Amino acid sequence: DAGVIQSPRHEVTEMGQEVTLRCKPISGHDYLFWYRQTMMRGLELLIYFNNNVPIDDSGMPEDRFSAKMPNASFSTLKIQPSEPRDSAVYFCASSLGVTQYFGPGTRLLVL
Amino acid sequence: QKEVEQDPGPLSVPEGAIVSLNCTYSNSAFQYFMWYRQYSRKGPELLMYTYSSGNKEDGRFTAQVDKSSKYISLFIRDSQPSDSATYLCAMSSNTGNQFYFGTGTSLTVIP
């Protein structure tokens, strides 16, 4: 298996633009997690899905953030409109059971 | 109080030293304890996983859980420059549920 796949790997955009991050989990995994990592706050859970259904989105910072999982092999995290404080590395992870497997992350810079 | 506390370091040791990394937690419901290693500009990768209390050894790495003290440790013997990374502890109360991550300890092993 190729592991968790994320795209794009890097994204530079201007404030106010829409940003869409994509994730393909490991085949067969039934949980999918979106995290944000910054130096100041470490790794923060934004939202997670079980069998494509959002379970807990309490970590989503505000209404500008939304996430979807239309099927078992694809998820998106959208930021609209983006702001400079959204600059961070966004990770997707999937799991079947206890251990989570992380993707390589998307490094987002909002100017 | 945060769910998981971890000293961010940085920690710098000479090659061959024994390294001790630690986390404390407040939620007595945590049963699953993980250590992740994160190299610069990469996603976290699972290093060790322990269920409940006790020790687990894997090569040069030993994970230790003391549930009575709510304290977990990761020991690295004969540390190598390739061990230079950020180490994150993580814990969960049930399989697939939300993981709580420490902020990570940055380790540098000097040749």
Side-chain angles (χ1 to χ4, degrees), chain A residues 9-24:
Chain A
R9 295 292 307 277
H10 300 89
E11 178 81 25
V12 180
T13 190
E14 292 188 344
M15 183 174 65
Q17 296 298 306
E18 177 179 295
V19 175
T20 299
L21 311 180
R22 296 172 176 80
C23 175
K24 177 177 166 56

Side-chain angles (χ1 to χ4, degrees), chain B residues 34-103:
Chain B
M34 277 76 53
W35 286 97
Y36 282 81
R37 178 175 61 196
Q38 185 176 20
Y39 290 115
S40 180
R41 300 181 98 75
K42 301 285 188 184
E45 57 176 335
L46 181 68
L47 195 59
M48 301 277 289
Y49 148 61
T50 310
Y51 171 71
S52 194
S53 279
N55 292 2
K56 186 172 185 178
E57 190 172 316
D58 184 1
R60 297 184 294 110
F61 299 88
T62 300
Q64 204 169 70
V65 175
D66 182 350
K67 292 190 70 180
S68 61
S69 303
K70 298 191 180 67
Y71 188 87
I72 70 170
S73 301
L74 177 70
F75 298 97
I76 307 174
R77 290 185 300 280
D78 186 24
S79 56
Q80 302 295 310
S82 58
D83 296 328
S84 298
T86 296
Y87 291 80
L88 301 102
C89 61
M91 40 202 85
S92 174
S93 57
N94 272 308
T95 59
N97 275 3
Q98 182 174 343
F99 279 31
Y100 294 86
F101 280 84
T103 50

